[in-house]
Structures are given as structure tokens and as C-alpha cells.
């Protein structure tokens, strides 16, 4: 190492590389805004479409490329981009694929903030937002202006499972791109890029890594995955020009949690089934919603696509309409283990209260009238969770 006159200069230019190679369980963590080019030829001979092109922090580091590759692999895709939240990943897809005058189709049970974003695009850029009923394919009637359809399987509040096969086939027939919010399946319940005997595939998935991949209820991130390089490059350009980037530290935390993601998913899937058996027997609930239940909307499509029998740890109940908002709020407030909060996929069970009447554009004849409570099953013992709900129900009488 060259010795400089000045101690400060020596410190700044001290070696940054460990003297020898070691192998560790987790990959090394890179934090970068500046990435140092070896020479001007490395600077000028590179192209942003080169695989693993390192040019600037926002465009990727070994840390972000590694997590992106892992997520793509879990979901059955080939290319991926990371965004600072699931919603940011959704916005990336919308802003890349939709132009002024286009028509976009969303399910009535779409993730709420996606709809809000699209309504904003409608007002500002003349993009037509059309709503279909997730369990009625005939309500999806694209015009020649239609560009994109959003799919969610299952819907994350009322848990309808759509007929993915028919929707994707119809979308392809009308030349729409298909984007699936894959947060519920997480790449573990089904393969969005090959989900039928006919090898049907969506074009792009987004995944709120905030949920299962993080698994901690503490880190926000999102991904956009495709198998189509041309589409990936379009998304990548938009990603770069919008300055979308994620922190190396957050990325490394999620990378660390991937090792046990499928174990957590499996555990929460099983615990939820335990709860369902009990929830169905409680007279306070007029309807229990979960795609594994034979009377849940789209149950047969869930069975067809989720051949492993797995589900995310979400279950919803509709309270008999004799329980008004005041009573259902009291129920939520009286739960001890279930905490009141948004999100899911973490260690702590959560509860959230919804009034669907205010959230839906179409009539939902498959849902009973009444207030909806969604349970997100964490990693606690299901018997304790049942006890908690039982106690809160008792206090209602
Ligand atoms: C949580 C969630 C998102 C958004 O993810 P954030 O990281 O919270 O922005 C998108 N879609 C679904 C289905 C979600 O549950």
C-alpha cells in the first residue's frame, strides 16, 4: 500500500478488502451510492443491459442483485427489480406499462392503495380504470384500448380466489398484459409463471416483500419479477429514471429471512386451518372466508391452482349484522394476542376491521351483510389464538 504524507489521507485510502477469501452463511453486504470503475474503459464500455451492470447505487449492488435473483427464483421468474415498498413496486408497473388513453382492469377486491394510485392516474393522465368482479369472468370486458389487467389471488381482505386460468387466457386473447400481485401466494402457494396444465403464465408479478420474505413486521420492500427480458428492460429503465432504490441493510435483512420463509409460510398456513375449524362453529360469525373452505368464493380455482394445498395465514369473518360497528370495535379492542394493525406475514398475529360497503364498487352477492374482521395468523400457538378470540367474543354477550 502506498504511504501518503497525511494521516487522514492514509485513513481514507486504507484497504477496503479483506486480505483473503472466506465463505460465510450470508453473503457480504454492500452499501453503495458511488461504485468505483476500474478504468475509463470499464466506464465507457459498459451498457445498462449488461447482466449485473454496476454503475451507481440506485441501479444495483451485489446485495440487491442477490436478493432479486432469489425472489425471482422463488416465484418462478427470471428477472427482478426491487423497490422500497410493495406499493412502490405496484406503481413502477403502472407507470411503466400505462400511457395516456389506455384502459386498465382491476378486480373489485384489489389492494386498496393500488386502486387509489390508478384513480390518480385516471384523473391526471386520462387512463381509464375499469373494475371487474374477481369471481365473474364475464364482468371482464376489455376494449381495444385495454393494456393491462391486475390480478390478485386471493384478494387480501375478502379472500376470493379468481379463475386465474380463464382471466389470463382472456387477457392474452385481447392482448392485455397481466400483472399479478403475488403477495398472498409469495411464490410458495403456486407458480404464477406456470400455473396450469397448459403452462399459463402471467407477464409480471409484484410482491410485497414486507410480508413473508421479511417475516419480521419491520422492513418494507417490494419486487417486480418477469420472465420477459424486453419487459424487464422497460421496467428497469423506469426504475432507474424514477430513482427507485432500496437500502443495502434492509436488503440483507430480507435475504437473511428467506432461509426460513417457506417454513413460516407452512406453519401459518397450518395454524390458519386450525383456526378455521373453530371459527366456523362460532354463532357470532355469519360467514368465514378462506379459499380452502368449500363455500368460499373461488374455492375450486384455489384447488386447481394451489395444488400444494397451501394458503397464506389470512382468514376473515363476517359478523352477524346484529353486531354493529360499536360491538365489533369492542371485539377488536378486547383481543390481547391479536394486535390491531395493517400487514401480515410477521411473527405477531394481527387483526383489522373493514366495512366492505365503503370499499367496493360492485355488488358482492357472495358476501353476507355485516362487518368484516380479518385475522392475520402469526407464529403463536393456534390454541392460544383461539382462546384469545373466544375471550373477546365472550365479552360481547
Ligand atoms: C401489503 C401489500 C402491498 C403493499 O406492500 P407495502 O410494502 O406495504 O407497500 C401490496 N399488495 C398486497 C396484497 C399487500 O398485502
Amino acid at each position: 500500500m502506498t504511504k501518503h504524507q497525511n494521516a487522514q489521507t492514509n485513513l481514507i485510502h486504507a484497504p477496503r478488502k479483506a486480505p483473503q477469501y472466506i465463505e460465510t452463511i450470508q453473503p457480504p453486504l454492500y452499501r453503495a451510492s458511488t461504485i468505483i470503475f476500474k478504468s475509463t474503459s470499464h466506464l465507457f464500455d459498459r451498457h445498462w443491459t449488461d447482466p449485473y451492470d454496476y454503475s451507481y447505487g440506485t441501479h444495483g449492488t451485489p446485495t440487491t442483485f442477490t436478493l432479486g435473483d432469489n425472489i425471482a427464483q422463488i416465484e418462478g421468474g427470471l428477472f427482478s427489480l426491487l423497490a422500497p415498498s410493495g406499493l412502490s413496486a405496484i406503481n413502477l408497473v403502472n407507470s411503466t406499462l400505462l400511457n395516456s388513453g389506455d384502459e386498465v382492469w382491476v378486480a373489485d377486491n384489489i389492494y386498496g392503495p393500488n386502486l387509489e394510485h390508478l384513480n390518480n392516474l385516471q384523473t391526471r393522465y386520462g387512463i381509464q380504470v375499469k373494475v371487474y368482479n374477481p369471481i365473474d369472468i364475464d364482468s371482464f370486458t376489455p376494449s381495444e384500448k385495454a393494456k393491462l389487467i391486475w390480478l390478485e389471488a386471493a384478494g387480501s381482505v375478502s379472500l376470493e380466489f379468481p379463475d386465474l386460468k380463464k382471466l389470463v387466457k382472456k387477457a392474452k386473447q385481447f392482448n392485455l398484459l397481466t400483472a399479478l400481485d403475488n403477495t398472498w401466494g409469495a411464490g410458495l402457494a403456486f407458480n404464477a409463471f406456470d400455473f396450469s396444465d397448459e403452462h399459463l403464465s402471467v407477464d409480471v408479478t409484484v410482491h410485497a416483500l414486507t410480508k413473508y420474505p421479511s417475516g419480521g413486521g419491520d422492513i418494507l420492500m417490494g419486487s417486480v419479477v418477469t420472465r420477459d427480458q424486453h419487459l424487464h428492460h422497460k421496467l428497469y429503465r423506469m426504475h432507474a429514471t424514477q430513482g427507485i432504490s432500496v437500502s443495502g441493510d434492509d436488503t440483507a435483512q430480507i435475504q437473511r429471512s428467506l432461509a426460513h420463509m417457506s417454513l413460516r409460510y407452512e406453519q401459518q398456513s397450518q395454524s390458519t386451518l386450525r383456526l378455521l375449524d373453530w371459527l366456523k362453529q362460532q354463532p357470532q360469525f355469519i360467514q368465514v372466508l378462506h379459499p380452502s373452505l368449500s363455500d368460499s368464493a373461488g374455492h375450486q380455482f384455489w384447488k386447481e391452482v394451489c395444488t400444494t394445498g397451501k394458503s397464506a395465514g389470512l382468514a376473515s369473518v363476517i359478523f352477524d349484522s346484529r353486531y354493529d360497528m360499536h360491538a365489533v370495535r369492542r371485539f377488536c379492542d378486547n383481543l390481547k394476542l391479536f394486535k390491531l394493525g395493517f400487514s401480515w406475514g410477521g411473527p405477531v398475529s394481527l387483526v383489522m376491521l373493514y366495512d366492505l360497503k365503503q370499499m367496493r364498487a360492485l355488488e358482492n352477492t357472495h358476501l353476507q351483510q355485516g362487518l368484516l374482521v380479518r385475522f392475520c395468523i402469526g407464529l403463536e400457538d393456534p390454541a392460544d389464538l383461539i382462546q384469545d378470540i373466544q375471550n373477546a367474543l365472550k365479552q360481547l354477550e
Side-chain angles (χ1 to χ4, degrees):
M1 190 187 77
T2 329
K3 262 281 207 196
H4 300 276
Q5 292 294 323
N6 182 285
Q8 175 72 9
T9 305
N10 276 325
L11 269 180
I12 292 169
H13 288 269
R16 288 188 200 83
K17 272 201 198 120
Q20 66 192 57
Y21 175 79
I22 59 160
E23 191 171 357
T24 53
I25 302 295
Q26 301 298 338
L29 160 57
Y30 286 86
R31 299 185 185 92
S33 47
T34 298
I35 290 172
I36 296 168
F37 296 99
K38 276 204 186 108
S39 68
T40 52
S41 41
H42 283 90
L43 169 64
F44 291 117
D45 296 346
R46 55 166 281 276
H47 191 261
W48 66 269
T49 57
D50 297 340
Y52 309 112
D53 171 52
Y54 298 116
S55 59
Y56 190 63
T58 45
H59 307 157
T61 66
T63 301
T64 63
F65 284 132
T66 300
L67 180 65
D69 284 353
N70 278 277
I71 297 296
Q73 193 189 24
I74 290 166
E75 292 194 36
L78 290 176
F79 307 101
S80 95
L81 292 165
L82 299 179
S85 67
L87 185 56
S88 168
I90 288 171
N91 290 356
L92 173 61
V93 170
N94 285 332
S95 52
T96 305
L97 301 182
L98 295 174
N99 291 306
S100 163
D102 287 345
E103 180 178 291
V104 54
W105 282 83
V106 300
D108 198 24
N109 61 357
I110 184 178
Y111 176 67
N114 187 0
L115 181 62
E116 202 177 327
H117 173 62
L118 286 168
N119 281 336
N120 194 352
L121 294 182
Q122 173 162 271
T123 313
R124 299 180 60 205
Y125 303 117
I127 287 161
Q128 276 282 312
V129 182
K130 299 277 194 171
V131 179
Y132 66 93
N133 179 339
I135 55 163
D136 176 16
I137 178 100
D138 292 335
S139 64
F140 169 46
T141 54
S143 80
E144 69 278 8
K145 288 183 175 168
K147 184 67 79 60
L148 173 69
I149 179 171
W150 275 100
L151 305 161
E152 254 172 85
S156 63
V157 175
S158 42
L159 299 163
E160 298 90 346
F161 204 96
D163 188 348
L164 275 186
K165 282 193 201 176
K166 282 212 180 120
L167 282 167
V168 166
K169 274 195 200 169
K170 190 164 178 178
K172 288 190 195 295
Q173 196 187 325
F174 284 84
N175 285 320
L176 273 76
L177 287 166
T178 49
L180 173 79
D181 185 325
N182 206 14
T183 307
W184 184 92
L188 299 172
F190 64 96
N191 182 346
F193 293 98
D194 185 5
F195 60 86
S196 73
D197 305 340
E198 300 150 86
H199 301 294
L200 288 169
S201 167
V202 300
D203 293 300
V204 48
T205 59
V206 303
H207 188 164
L209 307 184
T210 309
K211 310 291 166 56
Y212 278 104
S214 157
D218 54 352
I219 294 179
L220 291 150
M221 201 172 288
S223 61
V224 179
V225 169
T226 79
R227 291 186 66 85
D228 175 335
Q229 191 170 46
H230 177 69
L231 185 56
H232 172 69
H233 283 161
K234 274 179 78 167
L235 291 158
Y236 196 6
R237 270 336 280 161
M238 185 59 81
H239 183 270
T241 55
Q242 289 192 342
I244 295 170
S245 73
V246 295
S247 107
D249 293 78
D250 286 353
T251 308
Q253 295 267 21
I254 294 180
Q255 177 66 46
R256 190 171 184 273
S257 293
L258 288 189
H260 35 75
M261 170 175 158
S262 76
L263 299 177
R264 290 182 277 106
Y265 195 93
E266 178 71 33
Q267 180 64 44
Q268 295 185 349
S269 177
Q270 291 296 329
S271 297
T272 305
L273 295 183
R274 277 277 303 282
L275 251 78
L276 284 178
D277 279 341
W278 182 84
L279 290 171
K280 277 188 301 186
Q281 294 162 31
Q282 307 314 306
Q284 292 90 343
F285 307 138
I286 193 165
Q287 201 173 7
V288 181
L289 305 168
H290 186 277
S292 74
L293 299 174
S294 56
D295 59 351
S296 241
H299 167 69
Q300 69 274 28
F301 306 128
W302 169 78
K303 246 171 72 178
E304 227 170 62
V305 168
C306 299
T307 49
T308 58
K310 282 186 215 168
S311 297
L314 292 177
S316 293
V317 295
I318 296 184
F319 269 83
D320 188 297
S321 51
R322 71 175 185 273
Y323 296 98
D324 60 6
M325 180 55 93
H326 182 71
V328 179
R329 278 178 60 170
R330 203 144 46 88
F331 166 78
C332 294
D333 288 334
N334 284 332
L335 290 164
K336 295 273 185 299
L337 293 178
F338 284 91
K339 304 295 179 189
L340 186 62
F342 289 106
S343 201
W344 36 291
V348 173
S349 290
L350 299 171
V351 64
M352 189 45 67
L353 166 56
Y354 296 93
D355 187 358
L356 285 185
K357 281 201 298 287
Q358 322 221 343
M359 298 163 66
R360 299 290 157 90
L362 308 177
E363 229 186 315
N364 286 280
T365 48
H366 61 285
L367 296 172
Q368 300 281 343
Q369 298 288 318
L371 293 164
L372 184 148
V373 164
R374 182 183 74 176
F375 299 110
C376 311
I377 313 306
L379 292 169
E380 301 94 336
D381 182 342
D384 291 332
L385 295 176
I386 288 171
Q387 188 67 53
D388 194 34
I389 298 173
Q390 192 159 33
N391 289 343
L393 285 176
K394 263 194 207 133
Q395 294 176 64
L396 280 185
E397 304 306 330

